[in-house]
Amino acid sequence: MTSLDQRLSALDLSVLPTWVYDHGRHRFPWANAKAIEFWRATDRAELLSRDLSDLSPAVRARLDGYLRVLAEGGTVLEDWTLYPRGAPATVTLHGQPIDLDDGRLAILFQALPQAASVGASMVRGVEAVRHSSVLVSLVDREGEVLFHNPAALRAFGDAPTIDAAFPDEGVSAAVHGAIDAEAPWAGEVRVVTTDGERWHQVEARPTTDPVTGARAVLVQQLDVTAQRRAEGQVEEQGRLIDQLNRSLALVEEQRRQILNLSAPILDVGRGTLAVPLIGRLDAERGSELGERLLPAIVAHRASHVVLDVTGAEALDPDGAAALERLAHAIQLLGSRPILTGVRPEVARALVDVDLGEDLLVLRSLGRGLEVSRKRARGDARRRA
């Protein structure tokens, strides 16, 4: 079997820069004299030793697409701007398949110089589209792909039609229909890419195929998957916050109900209110009890309030201070506080507390109710 050098020896004197590109190893395994000159190499050995692996994603996608076409027996012809030693050179590359000595497929490139009439703005525009992260496609009336920029090639491969990208048939119909529309069609839709399902902002704009002159559709797509996920997370967080707020409101309501049950205000008749205190009495519970008790004293015109601490826990300084404030507040409303059920541990906490001169301390709730009734009868006789 003849070697690559032997098979290509006739091209060594070609006036066109010609080289073989090994995309698997990112090397030039062969180049003619004009290619050495084009790539500004010092000699053939220096050119063949260059490592070309530092390719942009756009260039890599284009070359991947070329290999797929060549593997099926086709050829490629496309304009490129190459950068030998950093100097831009715009050429038309003709590529055809060639087998390397180890049997792998490579690309035989011939570089045709661009026509002088090609303007700098056109060259820059073409390169901008090729390196853009926006997916740009040109499709005909049936949805057949006439052109994919490298970003679109990476997303969709070399599928012959654009319809496969849109699982929603309505979107495909809208893209096709844009060819005859007066205004572009746009939408945020689900698309199927080589990386799985994504969300794209799609715009389909009627235009003309510059090669055939036939009507076509320019399809531009921007991947907004990350944005939609972020919006979904914000929405989910908002829902969780609402749910948490509702739960906190329910917990607060249940807490208030428990507080009410642990210190109910009982109207026992004859102008007397009884308040059995159960559990811990601290500043918060004292404040909450005062918010309920003081309006109840006014509403019932209560002359006596029996505070029963039989079921209360041992008072700490905060609890004793809360009880002191409550007793003073009762007295300021013209009612007489009666403290009942004082156990030794509660008494010790109240030693240094000023509960007021009018506070009566009794052994039990029953005794407190009895005294309050007698006082109420005495007050009634005096008023009579």
Side-chain angles (χ1 to χ4, degrees):
M1 179 179 178
T2 57
S3 67
L4 184 66
D5 287 340
Q6 292 172 328
R7 282 179 285 151
L8 297 178
S9 58
L11 294 175
D12 197 40
L13 299 178
S14 173
V15 297
L16 296 178
T18 306
W19 62 87
V20 174
Y21 174 65
D22 180 356
H23 192 43
R25 295 177 179 170
H26 307 293
R27 301 276 181 171
F28 293 141
W30 183 88
N32 69 357
K34 282 294 183 179
I36 296 170
E37 179 182 336
F38 174 82
W39 286 104
R40 302 190 177 193
T42 55
D43 53 35
R44 186 188 302 270
E46 188 272 320
L47 179 60
L48 301 190
S49 67
R50 290 184 183 179
D51 181 2
L52 308 174
S53 60
D54 187 20
L55 301 176
S56 70
V59 171
R60 194 178 299 275
R62 291 173 74 183
L63 293 172
D64 288 342
Y66 284 2
L67 282 179
R68 289 192 293 269
V69 172
L70 300 181
E72 297 175 358
T75 59
V76 293
L77 185 68
E78 194 170 19
D79 295 337
W80 281 72
T81 298
L82 303 175
Y83 298 88
R85 297 290 188 190
T90 302
V91 295
T92 299
L93 286 184
H94 178 269
Q96 60 189 75
I98 187 168
D99 291 331
L100 298 174
D101 291 342
D102 59 7
R104 291 181 301 108
L105 180 64
I107 308 173
L108 175 64
F109 278 122
Q110 290 181 290
L112 287 70
Q114 282 278 6
S117 60
V118 177
S121 61
M122 180 177 293
V123 172
R124 288 169 179 152
V126 169
E127 288 303 302
V129 169
R130 284 175 176 162
H131 290 276
S132 173
S133 60
V134 177
L135 286 64
V136 180
S137 306
L138 188 69
V139 300
D140 63 14
R141 186 178 295 275
E142 286 72 36
E144 184 177 346
V145 176
L146 305 175
F147 167 80
H148 270 332
N149 76 336
L153 279 172
R154 288 196 300 273
F156 304 125
D158 50 5
T161 68
I162 204 167
D163 295 350
F166 304 118
D168 185 346
E169 294 181 0
V171 175
S172 297
V175 171
H176 294 180
I179 201 168
D180 297 316
E182 296 181 359
W185 176 87
E188 192 171 294
V189 302
R190 289 184 303 115
V191 296
V192 178
T193 72
T194 53
D195 291 329
E197 190 173 279
R198 310 285 291 179
W199 282 92
H200 284 183
Q201 180 66 44
V202 179
E203 180 189 85
R205 181 181 295 272
T207 186
T208 301
D209 179 3
V211 175
T212 65
R215 297 290 290 168
V217 180
L218 178 66
V219 183
Q220 301 178 80
Q221 304 182 58
L222 181 65
D223 193 323
V224 294
T225 307
Q227 178 182 338
R228 282 190 64 98
R229 286 175 180 169
E231 291 172 351
Q233 290 173 352
V234 170
E235 183 179 344
E236 177 64 14
Q237 288 173 354
R239 187 187 67 80
L240 291 176
I241 289 173
D242 289 341
Q243 183 177 346
L244 177 60
N245 288 335
R246 290 194 297 271
S247 298
L248 290 175
L250 178 60
V251 169
E252 177 61 19
E253 177 61 25
Q254 291 174 341
R255 186 188 71 85
R256 293 187 67 86
Q257 291 176 1
I258 291 172
L259 288 175
N260 292 345
L261 291 174
S262 62
I265 300 173
L266 307 175
D267 182 0
V268 295
R270 294 185 178 275
T272 301
L273 297 178
V275 184
L277 296 172
I278 302 171
R280 180 180 178 81
L281 178 63
D282 54 19
E284 182 182 3
R285 283 198 62 195
S287 176
E288 186 277 335
L289 177 56
E291 291 177 0
R292 293 186 293 115
L293 177 58
L294 300 182
I297 293 173
V298 175
H300 292 83
R301 298 182 180 180
S303 57
H304 295 83
V305 177
V306 181
L307 301 172
D308 181 64
V309 294
T310 304
E313 297 179 1
L315 296 180
D316 59 16
D318 288 341
L323 191 59
E324 177 184 8
R325 289 192 297 271
L326 191 58
H328 284 305
I330 294 170
Q331 294 170 33
L332 288 172
L333 290 178
S335 186
R336 299 173 183 173
I338 300 175
L339 186 63
T340 64
V342 178
R343 303 189 312 280
E345 56 270 25
V346 174
R348 283 193 294 270
L350 297 175
V351 168
D352 297 324
V353 173
D354 180 12
L355 297 175
E357 296 179 358
D358 291 338
L359 178 67
L360 180 62
V361 179
L362 299 174
R363 182 181 298 246
S364 66
L365 175 60
R367 179 62 179 153
L369 295 177
E370 180 183 348
V371 170
S372 67
R373 291 191 183 100
K374 288 181 179 179
R375 284 185 172 183
R377 286 195 297 267
D379 292 342
R381 283 195 297 270
R382 284 192 294 273
R383 286 195 297 270

